[in-house]
Amino acid sequence: ELSGGQRQRVMIAMALMLSPELLIADEPTTALDVTVQGQILELMLDLAREAGTAILLVTHNLGVVAQTADAVVVMYSGRVVENAPVAAFFAGPAHPYSQGLLASLPQVGDLGRRLTPIPGTVPSLSALPTGCHFHPRCPRAFEPCSRQTPPLFDLPGGRQARCWLHAS
């Protein structure tokens, strides 16, 4: 007879009872309204802080990331494509996929502005393209992108991006 938010609270409390060093929270706010989502995130962060527990938050919700995380790791087709402190990521993402994600989000005060979708479709994991997995959808792709998988390039500010645009 518990609501979704109450069930989430019970699960978080159970997970943190033994004071684990790491709590992996996979989409902990899915299907919750915004008010309950905020309460769940606040509870989870407070309990983790008290217990000294680190949280690995797996989510598609960039608003949740902006509100709760210290660092963000963006993945595309099973590969890390960007790793950055949250503030730096939202100030200017380094990978074209990350740039596309942020460009596709509605902005406060931008009524009437058309959202910019990422063109194409996500490839099947059983038929990934050669080179950079994102290159067929990338507006900035060039010759090495389709041939070679780029490494994670170290960038200023403790950032990394898996993109040939950052090769120097």
Side-chain angles (χ1 to χ4, degrees), residues 13-86:
M14 288 171 57
L16 292 171
M17 261 195 308
L18 297 176
S19 299
E21 290 182 31
L22 175 66
L23 172 66
I24 300 173
D26 189 356
E27 298 286 359
T29 59
T30 298
L32 300 178
D33 68 60
V34 177
T35 304
V36 174
Q37 174 180 295
Q39 293 169 351
I40 293 295
L41 290 171
E42 186 175 328
L43 172 69
M44 190 168 62
L45 293 171
D46 287 346
L47 290 173
R49 202 173 298 115
E50 289 172 17
T53 299
I55 298 176
L56 173 65
L57 180 64
V58 179
T59 185
H60 290 89
N61 187 329
L62 290 176
V64 168
V65 171
Q67 180 183 354
T68 61
D70 297 321
V72 61
V73 175
V74 177
M75 296 186 71
Y76 184 81
S77 294
R79 279 193 188 142
V80 171
V81 295
E82 183 161 358
N83 179 10
V86 166

Side-chain angles (χ1 to χ4, degrees), residues 110-132:
D110 280 351
L111 291 175
R113 180 182 76 92
R114 294 184 64 92
L115 298 179
T116 307
I118 298 172
T121 58
V122 177
S124 166
L125 292 179
S126 64
L128 291 169
T130 59
C132 173

Side-chain angles (χ1 to χ4, degrees), residues 92-151:
H95 192 277
Y97 175 63
S98 302
Q99 294 164 1
L101 286 177
L102 291 185
S104 69
L105 296 175
Q107 302 293 316
V108 175
D110 280 351
L111 291 175
R113 180 182 76 92
R114 294 184 64 92
L115 298 179
T116 307
I118 298 172
T121 58
V122 177
S124 166
L125 292 179
S126 64
L128 291 169
T130 59
C132 173
H133 293 172
F134 186 62
H135 87 267
R137 304 177 69 193
C138 183
R140 301 178 67 192
F142 61 112
E143 197 275 326
C145 302
S146 63
R147 287 187 302 104
Q148 280 184 288
T149 301

